Every structure is written in C-alpha cells, then in structure tokens.
Amino acid sequence: MLALMSIDPTTSAERPIAPQVAAVISASDPDALRTCLEAVGGQVYGATRVFVVGGGDDVRHVAGEFEALWRPNLRAAVESIGPEFTFVWALREHAIPEPQALRALVQDSLRVDASVAGSKVVSADDPERLVSVGYATDVFDAPYSGLQEDELDQSQYDVIRDVAAVSGVSVLIRRDLYRGLGGIDPSMAPRAAAIDFCQRARLRGARVVVIPGAVVALAGPASPSDWRERAGEIRAMLKAYSPVTLLWALPLTLLV
C-alpha cells in the first residue's frame, strides 16, 4: 500500500504508515452489489476491509464471493469498525468507483484536513454527464446542485470545494466522526440521508468537501424525486435545528 505523506528522502525518518480504510456498502440488489464490489476490489489504494450492510441471503452470498463481511444493519457494521481504521468509505450499491477514486479521497482529505469528503459523481451510462459535485442547502435543507440538466463534465468543477453536503453515493468519513454520529441514517432516502449526515457533521466542526479527482459512476438514478426525500429533509431539520428555529421553520416549510 502506498504511503500518502511525502517525506524527505535524504532524512532517516521512517516511511509513514498509510491510513487504513473500511468500506461500508449499503446493498439490496445482488447484481448491483457485484459490480460495486468488483470496482472496490480494483482500487489502486485498496480498502483494508469491506462490509456489506443489509439485503437478504442473495446479497449475503455475493458478499461472501468477494470475501466481504456481511452485517444485517448499520449499527452492527459501525460496531465492527475498530480504532485501527482511520477512515470509513461509505458507498451505495450502485456506485462504480474508478480505480484511483479511493486514493484521491484519502490523499486530498488529509491534505485539506477534511473530515467528510465526497466524490464527483457521473452517470454510468454517459460518463461525461455530471450527476453531483456537492450541494448547497437552504434553511429548509432543500439541496441545490448548481448543475444544469444533462451538464457535461468539462473539468469546470475540478477544484476541491467546501460544500454544505456531498452525495451519499461515495463519501469518505473520518472513523471517529462516523462512529460518533452513528453512520449515515439508513432509514432516510439516499440524498436526504447524506444531507442529514453532513449537516450534523458540520455542527460538530467538521469540514465537508467534494474531491473531483475521486470519480465515481452511478448506475441508476441519483435519487428518487418523491415525498420520501422531502420527508427526509424535514427529519434532518428536526434532528439538527434548535427549538426556536423549528418554531418558525416548520410552519413555513409546510406553507411553501
């Protein structure tokens, strides 16, 4: 495994130990999981351990094929990630990371001292089409991607940026923060769950960035556009906002 911190070759200092990463993949579709695990296994900077969370016997069987550890729920996975790990790489089953994705996430998050680092997400059907480069959010936790419909990737967003939230398709999180917040809420819709986690992380002083060098393709829709996403945004408000803020924000949310 490659060391990530540069050292002066003229000194006698020992080569620094590379941080260990635990990959946690939320899954329910065995076919999508197989593709994801193949991509995770092909990383230049490999995860030390891979956990698959959720799904039935077919998902558990696919996890076994790739020597990944299966856990029935997120709580069990969180409790299995010991202090030897520095980062947790949280993935959705439809994520197909490029070989350099994890290496870029680890290197750049260390370089900019970020606690939460998201990937640039593109479409698996058309890798030139952008899906997510992070989100801004308003007071109602509604996300704004800044992308035009079917916007092409022409390197216009290829700079590490601080954002309000990143896509939950692929996100690297410091292990202590991940455990402290209990992971990404699996009961919420995907986009709302990512916004909720990033919001709670920022409230604890964590830096949230998007790293464009970590490219991940998404096989399928970015997120269902339905009432579950909006309900998740409201739930995120309830979890993070003070009673005084909720007193005016919730009625206004329902009115809007």
Side-chain angles (χ1 to χ4, degrees):
M1 186 176 291
L2 298 177
L4 300 179
M5 301 178 185
S6 61
I7 58 175
D8 186 350
T10 63
T11 67
S12 59
E14 293 185 0
R15 191 176 182 86
I17 299 175
Q20 294 192 52
V21 179
V24 178
I25 305 172
S26 301
S28 60
D29 182 344
D31 294 330
L33 175 62
R34 179 175 283 105
T35 302
C36 180
L37 285 170
E38 288 173 350
V40 169
Q43 293 297 298
V44 171
Y45 185 101
T48 306
R49 188 170 298 165
V50 179
F51 296 91
V52 174
V53 179
D57 291 339
D58 47 356
V59 167
R60 188 172 185 175
H61 176 73
V62 172
E65 290 180 12
F66 289 84
E67 297 183 351
L69 301 178
W70 181 82
R71 295 293 184 268
N73 52 59
L74 183 62
R75 180 183 296 275
V78 170
E79 292 175 351
S80 300
I81 301 173
E84 68 272 20
F85 295 98
T86 304
F87 293 106
V88 175
W89 188 20
L91 295 153
R92 297 269 175 188
E93 61 186 355
H94 294 287
I96 308 174
E98 292 189 354
Q100 295 280 356
L102 180 56
R103 180 178 182 176
L105 284 172
V106 174
Q107 281 184 327
D108 288 340
S109 62
L110 287 171
R111 181 166 60 86
V112 301
D113 194 25
S115 298
V116 180
S119 296
K120 175 169 72 175
V121 183
V122 299
S123 170
D125 295 329
D126 181 5
E128 294 186 353
R129 184 168 63 84
L130 290 167
V131 175
S132 174
V133 287
Y135 298 105
T137 57
D138 60 18
V139 70
F140 307 114
D141 276 346
Y144 173 66
S145 69
L147 299 176
Q148 299 179 7
E149 186 176 358
D150 295 327
E151 184 170 349
L152 298 181
D153 182 12
Q154 298 175 320
S155 302
Q156 64 271 43
Y157 300 104
D158 282 6
V159 61
I160 297 174
R161 297 180 296 117
D162 289 270
V163 292
V166 296
S167 170
V169 173
S170 165
V171 54
L172 188 77
I173 307 163
R174 288 189 63 90
R175 177 247 176 205
D176 53 352
L177 180 65
Y178 185 83
R179 285 182 60 93
L181 295 179
I184 298 175
D185 193 337
S187 65
M188 300 172 70
R191 187 181 62 199
I195 292 172
D196 165 63
F197 184 88
C198 290
Q199 181 169 257
R200 290 186 288 130
R202 288 189 295 111
L203 286 174
R204 286 158 177 79
R207 186 180 185 187
V208 179
V209 302
V210 61
I211 295 178
V215 181
V216 174
L218 176 63
S223 184
S225 179
D226 57 20
W227 65 269
R228 287 171 293 186
E229 286 288 0
R230 188 63 194 123
E233 293 164 10
I234 295 174
R235 182 178 177 187
M237 292 170 59
L238 292 172
K239 292 165 69 173
Y241 287 3
S242 69
V244 173
T245 303
L246 290 174
L247 188 63
W248 65 265
L250 283 180
L252 189 56
T253 299
L254 298 176
L255 179 62
V256 171

